Amino acid sequence: MGDSMKQDFPIFSRQVNGRPLVYLDNAATTQKPACVIDAMTQYYSLSNANVHRAVHTLAGEATEGYEACRKLLKQRYNSDYVVITSGTTEAINLAAHAWGEHNLQPGDVVVLTEMEHHSDIVPWQMLAERIAIELRFVPVEDGELDLDALEVALDGAKLVCVVHTSNVLGVRNPVEQIISMSKSAGARVLIDAAQAVPHELIDFKETGADFMAFSAHKMCGPTGIGALLISDSAFSEMHPFMGGGDMIQTVTLEGSTYQTNEHKFEAGTPRIAEGVGWAAALEWMSQIDLESHHKRLLKIAKNVAGQLEEKGMKVYSTLNPGDAAVVSFTHPTIHPEDFARLLDAQGIAVRTGHHCAQPLMEKLGVNGTIRASFYIYNDDSDAEIFLTGIDRVLEAMA
Amino acid sequence: MGDSMKQDFPIFSRQVNGRPLVYLDNAATTQKPACVIDAMTQYYSLSNANVHRAVHTLAGEATEGYEACRKLLKQRYNSDYVVITSGTTEAINLAAHAWGEHNLQPGDVVVLTEMEHHSDIVPWQMLAERIAIELRFVPVEDGELDLDALEVALDGAKLVCVVHTSNVLGVRNPVEQIISMSKSAGARVLIDAAQAVPHELIDFKETGADFMAFSAHKMCGPTGIGALLISDSAFSEMHPFMGGGDMIQTVTLEGSTYQTNEHKFEAGTPRIAEGVGWAAALEWMSQIDLESHHKRLLKIAKNVAGQLEEKGMKVYSTLNPGDAAVVSFTHPTIHPEDFARLLDAQGIAVRTGHHCAQPLMEKLGVNGTIRASFYIYNDDSDAEIFLTGIDRVLEAMA
Amino acid sequence: MNWPDSIQEIIEEFQEIEDQFERLEVLMDFAEEVDELPVEEWNDSNLVRGCQSVAHLEVSIRDELVWLRAAADAKMVQGLQGILSIAVNGASPEIVLQLTPDFAEEAGILVSLTPSRSNGFRTMFDMVQNRVKEAIL
Amino acid sequence: MNWPDSIQEIIEEFQEIEDQFERLEVLMDFAEEVDELPVEEWNDSNLVRGCQSVAHLEVSIRDELVWLRAAADAKMVQGLQGILSIAVNGASPEIVLQLTPDFAEEAGILVSLTPSRSNGFRTMFDMVQNRVKEAIL
Ligand SMILES: Cc1ncc(COP(=O)(O)O)c(C=O)c1O
Ligand SMILES: Cc1ncc(COP(=O)(O)O)c(C=O)c1O
């Protein structure tokens, strides 16, 4: 299953250090199928032009290509409003500026969790510096969010920001329950879905969340593009974030008026080729049965985790049903970087470090972990090569 | 000269409405040479990975590819600090947030001009709403900035923002003089160089400016990427704009510390493939004698402008030495959009509308213009086809 | 689909044209079919939103039949209004509500009219149907 | 360029290795060459900035010759420190200031060591030269 899919990805014909590439750094970024790369090449080779407010043929094609991306996102995730950003991080910063700054008062409470990626912590810390809101962090206990603590933290909360699926542990949080608890408490909810959308299809309206942020590059799309989905009611409370071309209706020296749709939040020439590439990725993904891949990969990951433990590693991922196929682990004595570099010497790509989640690292009591993250093109043979590679490292370092 | 160069650009083998493409919408965005498209394809096909803090081979290659872009920008424009953004617009918004918000007090004066693109007006209007600064606009008289009025406006100014080369008229402003006047008045200076860098090589340090913003897509590079050059002294006064991954040093629940170099202003996964593509464009451009092309194109534009006037059009561009080869014009009765669409039917791409410079349109007393903008791959034959195309439009509408 | 004869003729006329320039010329010829809305009657309620050029469009029902008056500064937009007029003028509200805007695409009128413009057509088409709906409710 | 013999030998040793895994093993072997800086002496002034792993490096001049003491939690970083020690230990400050860091590249030690790590080597190399400069001024 995985093997035939690799043929769609040009990168898998490459060798790393004389070995076929085994790519297990998917939580950082995924590889791109040929159709995505081709779509961008085609765009630049045939239709490249600036979009909107234009009447020539190329500009029309470029506008259609770019707006097709938004349309596909609206359909796939069931959202009336889709603002295109440069990624998850910009999407969350957009929410903090365009909604947070205009709807929160000094002393208002924003609830975060200890499991958040830095991109869902720092924008709120910066907002707290600007307008003196209070941040409360829901603790992580044994790799799970403490929902009793959430209940307490919700008292008086205006906004709850929670990572759907952890990039460090692969844990899928009970977002449905968190959203309903938050809504009952009268809070708006932002979901960091960077690690979620690659693994499951989410009906944004059905979740009841107000914001959902994610990046194309983690779901077979290009770098430099992402999105913020916004509920109708939250959209109506938002004010422009960045100013410039395309987001205005009229500009005079005395002041400006803004567009009323999503363009209001997309200042400047948009990510046109990236939109075209992401649209191709979304079309490609719509042919894929994510759920069955998800189950297949989770099984692989569980097997890998089990064997790593047998080999003396400490595994932090719990890999419960619904979790992403992410295996975070450490060795009692071998430094994660030495470990990763010795794997790289065998063509195996994994990531090490704090994974932009230092508060979670602190909770786990480590400086960093080694993280092997699996995606739809990975197969049993990748897992085998990985485990054999681990053995060679252990031998060499014995 | 131009003809052989077209061979480097795949798009020129395409037909539009049955005619070979004549692309005269270069001020909106330029076309991409094959080497730029190839560099991105290669990146996605061979080296795609997330950058920074990583130890595997692909991640190393990706980091090198991305950072090569910054290095080339530093060399080409002689700047110690280069922050990569998604384009000119984000670069100016970055300056407004990261510098403006932390260094301007209510009542402080920021000087703009009536010739600015919306991207250099709206961010400052939005800043004025946040912190009550005063905006003063230097008027345009007969297509030129009124420097006497600038002198008056400078009284007490903390920042001067000026477009180097107008996207509507092609006018190159006397930025050297404006910078020295501004500096004497004790103001920092931001240069909107979106239309400048495609046409001339600028030594940022030598200009004495503090900020310079531009976009890759207007200089043969990809969409979705641009830069803000920053002087050493201004850099030391800046605070982070967006928060997230890669821009931090440490994150704790109590607060975060930030990187000290440019990464401080680049939150989230950067525009990696775009950086690789822009690097290729910069390498390609370094082989090009921009100055001689500039002269050649200005001559073509002047000839075109003269003939348009003879044919009864009103031309707004003055096309003085140093100006960009941009011809903005209107016809006394034919609507710009009808005009542009009839040109498009002949394979000729021009732009119509307010060109994101409504205050300047107001000053010119028009709703919009038709704009033909020439770039290095355009040649005499493009100009001829354009003028013949104009004749056909005039005949049809007579 | 079964278009009214008037529209079927237009579709065929456009389909015969191969050259885009000529197609646009024919489109502009339809500008004359517009029952012009005088400038004095231009107002916010008959302004066509989303159009780049200035366009106005007024729908009225006389003797239980639909009638358009319109105006636009760009001649091609007025041409589209002309075709729209042919499609709906003198038809019953029920017939007008059954129309779909794809005939313009079928005719190739919108081929190479970029989204902003084809959306302009769509916007005008939707406006006509909405006004008719309001009128007969 | 003319490297000191000790370094020339290392370059040749590395150049003979074809397999990257083995190359890294050899690199780690050099960790033993480090005169270890005890944990108690780790402080901000001998911290290697820009390294992902924790690394410390202390330069002293004894009898007018340069001596390194160092430590790192990652063994490959300590291996780089070992090679650096071989290159500079017992050499005169003048000789050390004439060295350039490209020998590591020539040896292929840094082949496939990503920028962050090779920068780590660069950082350590620069640190040694800077400390030597400070000491002899
Ligand atoms: C003078 C000028 N400034 C700013 C911009 C905005 O650039 P971008 O849309 O790439 O952010 C443009 C181009 O549209 C321009 O011509
Ligand atoms: C959970 C999570 N949130 C946010 C991000 C940030 O995404 P990006 O770097 O694409 O902005 C990531 C990925 O790095 C992530 O895994």
Side-chain angles (χ1 to χ4, degrees), chain A residues 56-275:
Chain A
H56 65 78
T57 301
L58 298 187
E61 293 174 7
T63 306
E64 267 174 33
Y66 176 70
E67 290 297 333
C69 177
R70 194 193 313 276
K71 214 166 167 181
L72 286 168
L73 288 169
K74 285 189 180 187
Q75 285 164 0
R76 184 173 173 88
Y77 298 108
N78 190 21
S79 176
D80 292 340
Y81 292 104
V82 172
V83 175
I84 309 270
T85 68
S86 64
T88 307
T89 302
E90 192 180 295
I92 296 174
N93 280 275
L94 170 64
H97 279 266
W99 186 85
E101 191 139 342
H102 298 277
N103 292 279
L104 296 174
Q105 309 293 328
D108 275 355
V109 171
V110 172
V111 175
L112 307 171
T113 89
E114 287 181 353
M115 211 187 273
E116 299 313 301
H117 187 279
H118 293 165
S119 293
D120 200 27
I121 298 176
V122 185
W124 307 109
Q125 289 180 334
M126 291 169 70
L127 183 63
E129 272 177 30
R130 292 202 299 283
I131 60 167
I133 52 172
E134 179 193 340
L135 302 183
R136 291 182 192 154
F137 286 86
V138 177
V140 173
E141 302 303 341
D142 301 325
E144 288 187 11
L145 290 180
D146 179 343
L147 293 192
D148 293 337
L150 169 63
E151 190 61 59
V152 177
L154 278 174
D155 184 38
K158 289 285 185 349
L159 175 69
V160 176
C161 302
V162 62
V163 64
H164 181 292
T165 299
S166 160
N167 63 313
V168 176
L169 302 171
V171 178
R172 184 211 192 274
N173 289 310
V175 284
E176 294 76 5
Q177 197 181 341
I178 293 169
I179 293 169
S180 92
M181 287 166 71
S182 306
K183 289 276 144 184
S184 303
R188 291 207 178 275
V189 181
L190 179 146
I191 302 292
D192 174 354
Q195 299 290 339
V197 288
H199 290 279
E200 60 179 278
L201 194 56
I202 299 175
D203 184 317
F204 176 64
K205 271 192 200 166
E206 201 181 287
T207 65
D210 296 287
F211 305 98
M212 189 166 106
F214 50 96
S215 303
H217 71 90
K218 292 189 199 280
M219 53 184 298
C220 298
T223 59
I225 189 165
L228 184 68
L229 313 187
I230 306 169
S231 70
D232 296 14
S233 65
F235 190 87
S236 68
E237 294 175 356
M238 288 168 74
H239 293 253
F241 172 28
M242 291 199 250
D246 261 1
M247 53 74 76
I248 59 93
Q249 209 140 47
T250 58
V251 173
T252 69
L253 303 186
E254 289 70 42
S256 302
T257 61
Y258 306 116
Q259 301 243 34
T260 50
N261 61 7
E262 292 101 328
H263 293 149
K264 180 175 180 173
F265 302 106
E266 295 175 12
T269 300
R271 295 108 181 133
I272 310 169
E274 291 85 346

Side-chain angles (χ1 to χ4, degrees), chain A residues 268-269, chain B residues 27 87-89 117 119 163 165 167 192 194-195 215 217-218:
Chain A
T269 300
Chain B
T88 307
T89 302
H117 187 280
S119 293
V163 64
T165 299
N167 63 313
D192 174 354
Q195 298 290 338
S215 303
H217 71 90
K218 292 189 199 278

